[in-house]
C-alpha cells in the first residue's frame, strides 16, 4: 500500500463539545494556498441553520460551503457537514444519508471518516478535536489502517478532553499536539493531485 | 507451471489496495445477483452508503464477507427481505424539517388553491410519517377534501406499516414540537388516538391517501401531478440514476407543478436545473416552468 508519497487530498476534522471555538481558530489559521479539501464534521442540533457556516466563513477567505448531496469535493475549499444527515465521501463528491444516528449522532464522525478512508485511502488525514464522547475513534483507526494520517488535539488543551483521549487510545500512533501546531502541521503536508471523479 | 495469482487490476491511483478493490467486485456481483434473481435494481445506488448497509447486514447475519451474504440472500428469501429493508428504508419523522412545512404553507398552498382538484405524488414515502404530515397540513388549509395523495415506495413491507397509520407514541413529544414549529394551527393531539404504545392517525387522515408500490428505478410515470414530493430519497442514488429519476418527475408534473426536495438536495447537480424556477430562498421548492 502506498503511503504519503503521493500527498494528501483530504483533511477530515471531527469535533463535538467546544467545537465552534476550535473550528474558528482552525479555519482562521489555514493558509490560502491550501491545496487540500477540508471537511468539518461537528455534532449539532438537528434543526441548526447555516450559522456555523457563516461564522466560519467570517474567519477565512477560503470558500466555506455547507455540504449538499452530490456536491463536488475540490481542493482549497472548506466543507461543513449539515445537521441531521450523515456525510459520506465518494471519490470526487459527497453523498448524504438519513440512516439512523450512529451512537446518538447524526452526523456521525465515524461514518464520514470510514467512507473517506475507503474512497481516498492513504490520501486521507483524520483530525479529532475537543468533544465529550468517543465518536471519531473508530473512523480514525480505519484511516490509519488504510495508510492515512491521524492527528489528535492534545487532550490537555481541549475544552472537553474525552474525544481526543478516546482517539489516542484507539490510535496510539496518532500525532498529538495543541491546536495551532496541528493546523501548521496540516498546512505543511504535501498535497496530492486534485480529487477526481472515480470509477 | 503454476501461474502466480496476483492482483493485476489498477487501483486508480488512490492507493486503496487489494482489499477495497476485491470488496467492490463482491458488491457489484451481489447487486447484479439481486437484480437478476429478485428484480430489485440497486446497481446505481450511491456506493458509499450501499456498501455501509451491506457490511452492516453481513455482520448482523454473522457472515465473514459480502460473498457469503450474496450466497445467503440468493438461497434464502427471508434474508433477502431483511436486506431489502436495510437497503430501502429511510429513517424519517413527522414534520421532519419544520421550516420546510412552514414554507410549503406560505409558497405552495396559495398555488394549490387555484386548482379544483389536487394530485400529489409522495415518492419514496417509507413508513408514511411525512405523508400524514402533509395530510394534516392540507386539512388545516381546507384543501384536503379536494386532494388525493399517491404515496409510493419500493418496499411493500414499509407500505403495510404506512397504511396502518400508527406511529410510536414515545415520539409524539418530538412530533408535536415539530408540528408547532411547522406552523400547525390546532392541537396536535386532535389528530391521533393513543392506543397501547402507538398513536393512530388513520383512518380519518388516510381517507385521501392511496398507498402503492412503485419502483423509481424501473417503473414509469402513472399520472400527472401538481406536486411531487421526494425528500431524502434521491440521495441514495448515484448521479446518473438521479438524472433518470428527475426525468421521470419532470414528465409527471403538470406545467407550473411543484417539485419538493430534501433540504440538502439540489437540482443544481442535475440536468434539469433550467427546467424549473426556485420558489423559496430557504427550502428546496421548485416550479416547473419549461
Amino acid at each position: 500500500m502506498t503511503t504519503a508519497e503521493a500527498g494528501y487530498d483530504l483533511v477530515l476534522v471531527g469535533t463535538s463539545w467546544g467545537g465552534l471555538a476550535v473550528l474558528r481558530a482552525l479555519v482562521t489559521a489555514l493558509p490560502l494556498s491550501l491545496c487540500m479539501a477540508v471537511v468539518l464534521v461537528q455534532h449539532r442540533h438537528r434543526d441548526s441553520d447555516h450559522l456555523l457556516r457563516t461564522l466560519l466563513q467570517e474567519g477565512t477567505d477560503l470558500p466555506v460551503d455547507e455540504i449538499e448531496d452530490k456536491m463536488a469535493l475540490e481542493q482549497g475549499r472548506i466543507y461543513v457537514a449539515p445537521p441531521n444527515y450523515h456525510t459520506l465521501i465518494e471519490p470526487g463528491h459527497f453523498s448524504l444519508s438519513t440512516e439512523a444516528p450512529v451512537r446518538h449522532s447524526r452526523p456521525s464522525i465515524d461514518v464520514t471518516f470510514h467512507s473517506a478512508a475507503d474512497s481516498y485511502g492513504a490520501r486521507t488525514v483524520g483530525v479529532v478535536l475537543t468533544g465529550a464522547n468517543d465518536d471519531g475513534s473508530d473512523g480514525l483507526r480505519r484511516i490509519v489502517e488504510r495508510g492515512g494520517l491521524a492527528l489528535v488535539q492534545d487532550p490537555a488543551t481541549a475544552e472537553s478532553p474525552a474525544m481526543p483521549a478516546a482517539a489516542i487510545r484507539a490510535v496510539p500512533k496518532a500525532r498529538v499536539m495543541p491546536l495551532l501546531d496541528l493546523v501548521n502541521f496540516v498546512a505543511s503536508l504535501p498535497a496530492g493531485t486534485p480529487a477526481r471523479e472515480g470509477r | 507451471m503454476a501461474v502466480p495469482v496476483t492482483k493485476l487490476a489498477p487501483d486508480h491511483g488512490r492507493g486503496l489496495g487489494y482489499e477495497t478493490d476485491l470488496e467492490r467486485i463482491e458488491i457489484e456481483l451481489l447487486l447484479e445477483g439481486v437484480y437478476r434473481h429478485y428484480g430489485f435494481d440497486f446497481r446505481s445506488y450511491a456506493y458509499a452508503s450501499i456498501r455501509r448497509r451491506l457490511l452492516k447486514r453481513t455482520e448482523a447475519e454473522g457472515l465473514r464477507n459480502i460473498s457469503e451474504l450474496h450466497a445467503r440472500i440468493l438461497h434464502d428469501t427471508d434474508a433477502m427481505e431483511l436486506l431489502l429493508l436495510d437497503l430501502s428504508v429511510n429513517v424519517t419523522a413527522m414534520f421532519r424539517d419544520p421550516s420546510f412545512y412552514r414554507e410549503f404553507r406560505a409558497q405552495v398552498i396559495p398555488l394549490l388553491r387555484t386548482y379544483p382538484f389536487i394530485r400529489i405524488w409522495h415518492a419514496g414515502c417509507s413508513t408514511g410519517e411525512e405523508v400524514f404530515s402533509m395530510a394534516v397540513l392540507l386539512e388545516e388549509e381546507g384543501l384536503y377534501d379536494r386532494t388525493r395523495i399517491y404515496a409510493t415506495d419500493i418496499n411493500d413491507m414499509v407500505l403495510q406499516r404506512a397504511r396502518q397509520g400508527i406511529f410510536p407514541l414515545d415520539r409524539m413529544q418530538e412530533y408535536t414540537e415539530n408540528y408547532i414549529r411547522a406552523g400547525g394551527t390546532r392541537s396536535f393531539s386532535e389528530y391521533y388516538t393513543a392506543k397501547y404504545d402507538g398513536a393512530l392517525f388513520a383512518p380519518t387522515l388516510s381517507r385521501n391517501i392511496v398507498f402503492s408500490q412503485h419502483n423509481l428505478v424501473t417503473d414509469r410515470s402513472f399520472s400527472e401531478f401538481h406536486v411531487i414530493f421526494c425528500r431524502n430519497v434521491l440521495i441514495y442514488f448515484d448521479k446518473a440514476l438521479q438524472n433518470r429519476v428527475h426525468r421521470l418527475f419532470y414528465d409527471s408534473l403538470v406545467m407550473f407543478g411543484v417539485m419538493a426536495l430534501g433540504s440538502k438536495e439540489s437540482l443544481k447537480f442535475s440536468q434539469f436545473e433550467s427546467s424549473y424556477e426556485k420558489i423559496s430562498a430557504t427550502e428546496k421548492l421548485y416550479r416547473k416552468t419549461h
Side-chain angles (χ1 to χ4, degrees):
Chain A
M1 188 174 283
T2 54
T3 47
E5 68 207 48
Y8 297 96
D9 289 330
L10 194 59
V11 181
L12 307 150
V13 181
T15 178
S16 74
W17 187 259
L20 177 59
V22 289
L23 289 180
R24 273 280 285 202
L26 181 140
V27 301
T28 305
L30 283 172
L32 288 177
S33 57
L34 186 78
C35 284
M36 291 170 267
V38 178
V39 181
L40 310 177
V41 185
Q42 157 145 52
H43 293 161
R44 49 191 171 136
H45 188 269
R46 62 175 186 270
D47 291 323
S48 316
D49 56 15
H50 303 290
L51 186 62
L52 177 62
R53 190 209 73 80
T54 309
L55 288 173
L56 294 177
Q57 185 67 82
E58 283 169 4
T60 177
D61 285 333
L62 290 167
V64 183
D65 296 308
E66 187 159 278
I67 296 165
E68 291 193 335
D69 184 54
K70 303 300 182 283
M71 186 180 273
L73 240 169
E74 292 166 7
Q75 59 184 23
R77 300 186 81 96
I78 298 168
Y79 300 92
V80 181
N84 215 10
Y85 290 83
H86 293 301
T87 292
L88 295 153
I89 289 172
E90 312 254 12
H93 67 268
F94 297 97
S95 277
L96 299 179
S97 155
T98 59
E99 287 165 76
V102 176
R103 290 188 296 163
H104 311 292
S105 295
R106 189 171 63 195
S108 153
I109 299 166
D110 281 337
V111 167
T112 303
F113 280 20
H114 264 268
S115 66
D118 292 320
S119 293
Y120 281 85
R123 294 155 172 271
T124 313
V125 182
V127 182
V128 174
L129 305 178
T130 173
N133 51 49
D134 64 355
D135 193 13
S137 297
D138 196 54
L140 196 65
R141 193 188 304 122
R142 180 70 171 182
I143 288 171
V144 171
E145 280 169 10
R146 287 287 194 223
L149 187 64
L151 306 176
V152 180
Q153 182 183 12
D154 182 353
T157 69
E159 181 175 341
S160 183
M163 208 154 95
I168 294 165
R169 279 197 303 279
V171 187
K173 69 181 209 186
R175 290 169 185 260
V176 179
M177 51 191 110
L179 184 74
L180 285 180
D181 293 353
L182 199 150
V183 178
N184 290 333
F185 185 78
V186 166
S188 72
L189 289 170
T193 48
R196 287 158 301 168
E197 284 291 317
R199 303 179 254 192
Chain B
M1 199 176 82
V3 178
V5 180
T6 52
K7 176 183 160 273
L8 297 173
D11 69 2
H12 300 264
R14 284 193 300 278
L16 299 177
Y18 181 75
E19 196 191 324
T20 299
D21 285 341
L22 183 61
E23 191 182 84
R24 180 135 198 148
I25 294 168
E26 291 180 288
I27 289 174
E28 285 174 3
L29 289 173
L30 180 146
L31 297 178
E32 185 67 25
V34 166
Y35 175 60
R36 287 174 59 179
H37 190 58
Y38 292 103
F40 293 107
D41 192 353
F42 294 105
R43 295 174 299 174
S44 303
Y45 273 47
Y47 184 74
S49 170
I50 205 151
R51 171 181 179 278
R52 202 174 109 68
R53 293 171 188 223
L54 288 173
L55 290 175
K56 269 166 70 184
R57 192 74 241 145
T58 302
E59 200 182 311
E61 296 274 349
L63 301 172
R64 283 174 303 177
N65 54 51
I66 306 269
S67 296
E68 290 188 357
L69 181 68
H70 190 183
R72 178 164 295 179
I73 56 159
L74 286 181
H75 296 284
D76 177 349
T77 49
D78 291 343
M80 180 60 207
E81 288 276 334
L82 289 171
L83 179 66
L84 191 57
L85 274 178
D86 281 359
L87 293 184
S88 61
V89 173
N90 301 308
V91 179
T92 180
M94 292 193 78
F95 295 99
R96 187 186 204 272
D97 305 322
S99 58
F100 168 83
Y101 289 89
R102 221 169 40 232
E103 191 73 355
F104 191 92
R105 273 181 207 267
Q107 306 298 340
V108 182
I109 290 294
L111 301 174
L112 297 185
R113 287 195 196 288
T114 64
Y115 297 115
F117 191 78
I118 302 158
R119 280 189 305 276
I120 296 179
W121 178 12
H122 194 128
C125 68
S126 192
T127 40
E129 283 84 345
E130 293 176 80
V131 185
F132 281 89
S133 307
M134 187 53 68
V136 165
L137 191 156
L138 292 164
E139 182 91 304
E140 293 184 359
E141 297 296 336
L143 292 175
Y144 195 42
D145 283 323
R146 50 174 150 133
T147 300
R148 182 141 302 163
I149 303 178
Y150 298 84
T152 65
D153 201 276
I154 182 180
N155 186 324
D156 206 40
M157 283 166 83
V158 297
L159 284 172
Q160 284 172 30
R161 277 174 56 195
R163 269 188 204 102
Q164 291 174 343
I166 302 172
F167 304 115
L169 201 55
D170 61 11
R171 296 199 67 180
M172 284 308 126
Q173 192 185 343
E174 175 197 340
Y175 293 174
T176 303
E177 285 168 24
N178 284 355
Y179 166 79
I180 293 166
R181 297 179 52 211
T185 58
R186 300 185 195 169
S187 162
F188 191 53
S189 58
E190 283 177 28
Y191 291 104
Y192 61 86
T193 318
K195 217 171 188 180
Y196 306 106
D197 51 359
L200 176 67
F201 286 79
T204 329
L205 275 178
S206 54
R207 67 184 189 273
N208 294 334
I209 306 173
V210 181
F211 289 99
S212 66
Q213 195 175 20
H214 180 276
N215 187 334
L216 289 172
V217 184
T218 50
D219 293 344
R220 320 190 72 168
S221 177
F222 54 97
S223 188
E224 267 204 323
F225 300 94
H226 303 100
V227 179
I228 296 177
F229 193 91
C230 185
R231 307 190 71 226
N232 303 313
V233 176
L234 300 183
I235 54 178
Y236 297 105
F237 299 168
D238 70 17
K239 281 197 262 189
L241 178 55
Q242 283 190 355
N243 272 318
R244 269 164 53 201
V245 178
H246 275 304
R247 156 68 59 189
L248 172 68
F249 289 157
Y250 177 82
D251 289 342
S252 305
L253 271 178
V254 301
M255 188 53 73
F256 304 119
V258 173
M259 179 79 232
L261 297 174
S263 55
K264 302 301 168 195
E265 296 176 301
S266 176
L267 281 172
K268 223 183 324 185
F269 311 112
S270 85
Q271 291 163 3
F272 287 87
E273 190 185 9
S274 60
S275 308
Y276 293 87
E277 66 177 15
K278 289 194 77 168
I279 53 173
S280 165
T282 52
E283 303 296 330
K284 297 302 163 52
L285 288 164
Y286 302 88
R287 185 159 66 159
K288 176 173 165 178
T289 50
H290 292 90

